[in-house]
Amino acid sequence: MILSSFNINTQRSVSDKIRLCFWVYLVLLIFEGAMRKWILPQLSNLFLVIREPVTIYVVFLYFKYNLKSNIVKVLFIFSFISFVLTLLFGHHNVLVALYGVRITLLHLPCIFIFGKVITREDIHLIGKAVLYISVLMFIIIVVQYFSPKTAFINIGTGGSG
């Protein structure tokens, strides 16, 4: 079906590696909520950062192969400045600042890196996948609406009722 038309070279050029990372990132983005809520609620904290290894690898590939993108460099500069300003004038908590800077340091640059390598075919596949998934999501929403608060489908994130 959709995955059968997924053409990625086995020799894997840099763009193919990033395309593969894009598809892994997209699948994790779509199914992360269901994993946190229904399938493995005891690991909900882990699923908050499940996409970070993919983004770290994409950023690593960006620097290793010196891909050209000025906006990615600007995002890194702004991320570093905001991190330093947060530590100097904000809450002064390094762990909270690191958790917050991961969005602008990893995820935003990945958007622009992914944008350079995905093809028109990938866009069509994304559209098909989202269309098929939206039917399932509609069914889940209807079941949630007509189920009582205590039903399995209405369990909160992390397994709370």
Side-chain angles (χ1 to χ4, degrees), residues 110-156:
C110 278
I111 291 170
F112 294 99
I113 296 169
F114 289 151
K116 288 196 168 288
V117 297
I118 61 173
T119 63
R120 183 179 294 266
E121 178 184 315
D122 291 326
I123 300 297
H124 288 288
L125 290 174
I126 293 167
K128 286 180 186 177
V130 169
L131 186 63
Y132 293 142
I133 291 170
S134 65
V135 174
L136 179 62
M137 288 174 59
F138 173 75
I139 293 168
I140 290 172
I141 290 168
V142 169
V143 170
Q144 281 181 322
Y145 181 76
F146 288 111
S147 297
K149 287 183 180 180
T150 57
F152 172 75
I153 197 85
N154 287 327
I155 292 176

Side-chain angles (χ1 to χ4, degrees), residues 26-107:
L26 184 66
V27 167
L28 289 173
L29 181 67
I30 291 171
F31 293 108
E32 166 190 0
M35 297 292 284
R36 287 176 57 215
K37 187 170 181 175
W38 297 307
I39 300 168
L40 295 168
Q42 64 273 20
L43 298 176
S44 65
N45 289 339
L46 175 67
F47 284 110
L48 285 174
V49 293
I50 195 86
R51 291 173 280 142
E52 268 66 12
V54 176
T55 58
I56 290 169
Y57 182 64
V58 170
V59 169
F60 168 76
L61 289 175
Y62 170 80
F63 283 115
K64 181 179 179 183
Y65 293 102
N66 198 17
L67 302 175
K68 305 286 189 251
S69 178
N70 290 334
I71 195 155
V72 172
K73 293 173 186 171
V74 169
L75 286 170
F76 276 111
I77 292 168
F78 279 132
S79 297
F80 181 73
I81 291 170
S82 67
F83 178 73
V84 171
L85 290 176
T86 299
L87 291 178
L88 291 177
F89 303 113
H91 48 68
H92 309 292
N93 189 334
V94 175
L95 293 177
V96 173
L98 284 173
Y99 185 77
V101 80
R102 73 186 172 85
I103 299 296
T104 55
L105 194 63
L106 297 174
H107 294 273

Side-chain angles (χ1 to χ4, degrees), residues 1-9 16 19 22-23 117-129:
M1 187 159 80
I2 290 175
L3 293 178
S4 64
S5 60
F6 192 60
N7 291 333
I8 292 186
N9 188 356
D16 282 340
R19 279 181 61 217
F22 169 76
W23 282 101
V117 297
I118 61 173
T119 63
R120 183 179 294 266
E121 178 184 315
D122 291 326
I123 300 297
H124 288 288
L125 290 174
I126 293 167
K128 286 180 186 177

